[in-house]
Amino acid sequence: MALFFDPDWFDAKLAERGLSRAVLAAVSGMSEADLALVFKDQRELSAAEVAAFAELLGASPAEIAEHAGISTPVPVEDPLERIAALERRVEALEAELRRLKGR
């Protein structure tokens, strides 16, 4: 069982994005009944569900885990994907710098 799930925080994040709990359940691959148990602090989230919540709510997995309870696992980020994402960002920044310099 999870401890200290913060339903108000999650509802506020959903409201910011104009989303419902049903959408959160669908995106995370759980039933609405399972999500209701999560919100009642009677079911823990898996690392995959934490990642899905983070993606949908625009928060980091660590932030989701912090608000989901003390025993919530934080998904491990694939270091190769992280490097690839950083390389894409550097390429975009360099392209923008070249554009601004007129080259």
Side-chain angles (χ1 to χ4, degrees):
M1 178 164 70
L3 291 173
F4 310 118
F5 185 85
D6 186 354
D8 295 334
W9 185 86
F10 284 96
D11 283 335
K13 295 298 278 184
L14 287 167
E16 286 174 11
R17 294 178 172 262
L19 300 172
S20 68
R21 287 185 182 182
V23 172
L24 184 60
V27 166
S28 60
M30 65 175 73
S31 69
E32 290 185 50
D34 280 337
L35 184 66
L37 291 174
V38 170
F39 271 70
K40 288 191 266 182
D41 218 9
Q42 296 176 344
R43 179 188 180 285
E44 293 180 3
L45 293 174
S46 69
E49 291 163 345
V50 169
F53 278 36
E55 182 77 25
L56 183 68
L57 299 176
S60 71
E63 187 176 17
I64 295 296
E66 178 183 331
H67 290 279
I70 61 171
S71 63
T72 304
V74 177
V76 177
E77 187 174 4
D78 178 2
L80 295 178
E81 177 53 38
R82 175 82 172 137
I83 290 168
L86 289 170
E87 287 175 345
R88 288 190 298 273
R89 290 179 67 192
V90 167
E91 286 176 21
L93 289 168
E94 287 174 342
E96 181 64 12
L97 185 59
R98 284 191 301 275
R99 186 191 68 77
L100 290 171
K101 286 184 174 182
R103 296 183 193 174

